[in-house]
Amino acid sequence: MTAIPSSDDALVLYGQRFQSRLLLGTSRYPSPAVLEAAVARARPAMVTASLRRQGSNAAETGSDFWALLKRLEVPVLPNTAGCMRVQEAITTAQMAREVFETPWIKLELIGDDYTLQPDTLNLVEAASILIKDGFQVLPYCTEDLVLCQRLVDVGCQAVMPWAAPIGTGRGPVNPYAMQALRERLNVPLICDAGLGLPSHACQVMEWGFDGVLLNTAVALSQDPVAMAGAFADATAAGHAAFRAGAMQAQDTAQPSTPVLGTPFWHNA
């Protein structure tokens, strides 16, 4: 993976710096051309790709998907989408490492094929095995604090809790838990799954998350290119607001214009 030149406010994952804090999926777009245009508009830090769903042979997909990925000139983050057993995820990750020639892996270990909820009981074991095998693991997980802490304990230098189940577009359904994660964990947090609106992305970034990863909200919008741009702008705006420091909410009204000692208005 090509490292991006450093900047003062870069996203840093496993020691590598990225200029963007948005990561995009590559599935369910109306066409390869629309996907390419959306990526060009958003300029994400990485694009995800599923080895299991796309197939390693271009002939199997009916399109030269791999050539498209290279043309995007954006680092690829392979994932283990669809895996439901630890060994299955490990084997898929090892195959993806050879195909994409990268140690990066988005670890998805699904525990329930209806809600697509991560397997919280076996995810830590899978992450631990992959890290010992030299992978740079970005685990897709729930917003459970103990689970995320255990992932950090076995060597994950970032975690990716969901905002809501994959593809629902509901936005953060448990703001308390997500903000608690930010308060308790001192590693990059990337919100993965469940975002439907750019305002959702802005919200989690205002809470101090370090990035967002999404696919469906862009790919299934009426104008994926414009939506990709909207999410990129919202992600950057939310992060800028977090760095700027928001005012504390007040229980009572506070005048925005001081009264005492202010000339003109009360003498009119």
Side-chain angles (χ1 to χ4, degrees):
M1 180 174 292
T2 302
I4 301 298
S6 63
S7 66
D8 292 337
D9 187 33
L11 170 65
V12 180
L13 300 172
Y14 288 91
Q16 292 198 30
R17 309 173 76 90
F18 301 89
Q19 292 180 323
S20 173
R21 292 175 179 273
L22 174 68
L23 291 76
L24 274 183
T26 55
S27 65
R28 308 187 72 180
Y29 284 81
S31 70
V34 173
L35 164 61
E36 188 170 1
V39 171
R41 172 62 182 86
R43 300 307 304 168
M46 290 188 268
V47 293
T48 64
S50 170
L51 184 66
R52 287 168 56 89
R53 290 177 179 168
Q54 300 294 346
S56 59
N57 186 339
E60 295 176 359
T61 67
S63 64
D64 195 351
F65 182 70
W66 309 121
L68 170 61
L69 290 179
K70 292 181 180 178
R71 195 162 62 245
L72 295 176
E73 297 184 340
V74 175
V76 175
L77 174 63
N79 65 43
T80 60
C83 293
M84 300 190 70
R85 295 183 297 278
V86 171
Q87 188 55 53
E88 185 181 16
I90 292 170
T91 301
T92 301
Q94 291 170 336
M95 293 173 61
R97 179 167 57 184
E98 294 184 9
V99 171
F100 294 102
E101 299 180 335
T102 176
W104 290 87
I105 192 73
K106 176 191 172 188
L107 174 59
E108 292 188 30
L109 185 62
I110 301 303
D112 179 70
D113 59 3
Y114 180 74
T115 63
L116 300 180
Q117 178 166 328
D119 183 345
T120 57
L121 300 180
N122 295 299
L123 185 62
V124 174
E125 177 190 358
S128 177
I129 293 172
L130 289 172
I131 287 172
K132 291 175 181 175
D133 193 23
F135 283 92
Q136 293 168 332
V137 180
L138 298 177
Y140 161 63
C141 54
T142 66
E143 73 278 40
D144 184 273
L145 173 60
V146 176
L147 169 63
C148 291
Q149 182 62 65
R150 295 294 181 270
L151 289 167
V152 173
D153 291 344
V154 298
C156 292
Q157 297 183 21
V159 294
M160 301 203 301
W162 70 0
I166 291 175
T168 62
R170 298 175 63 86
V173 296
N174 195 342
Y176 171 81
M178 296 187 72
Q179 292 177 81
L181 281 180
R182 182 65 291 166
E183 293 174 359
R184 298 293 301 279
L185 297 185
N186 190 30
V187 297
L189 298 175
I190 298 174
C191 182
D192 179 11
L195 302 181
L197 297 170
S199 58
H200 296 157
C202 189
Q203 177 70 88
V204 299
M205 295 301 290
E206 288 176 354
W207 290 340
F209 274 60
D210 299 274
V212 299
L213 191 161
L214 50 94
N215 186 108
T216 307
V218 171
L220 297 189
S221 67
Q222 294 184 16
D223 186 341
V225 178
M227 188 60 79
F231 266 103
D233 294 343
T235 301
H239 179 63
F242 173 72
R243 285 175 56 85
M247 62 165 283
Q248 293 294 320
Q250 306 294 323
D251 293 330
T252 59
Q254 303 291 322
S256 58
T257 302
V259 176
L260 296 177
T262 301
F264 306 126
W265 75 270
H266 59 294
N267 292 328

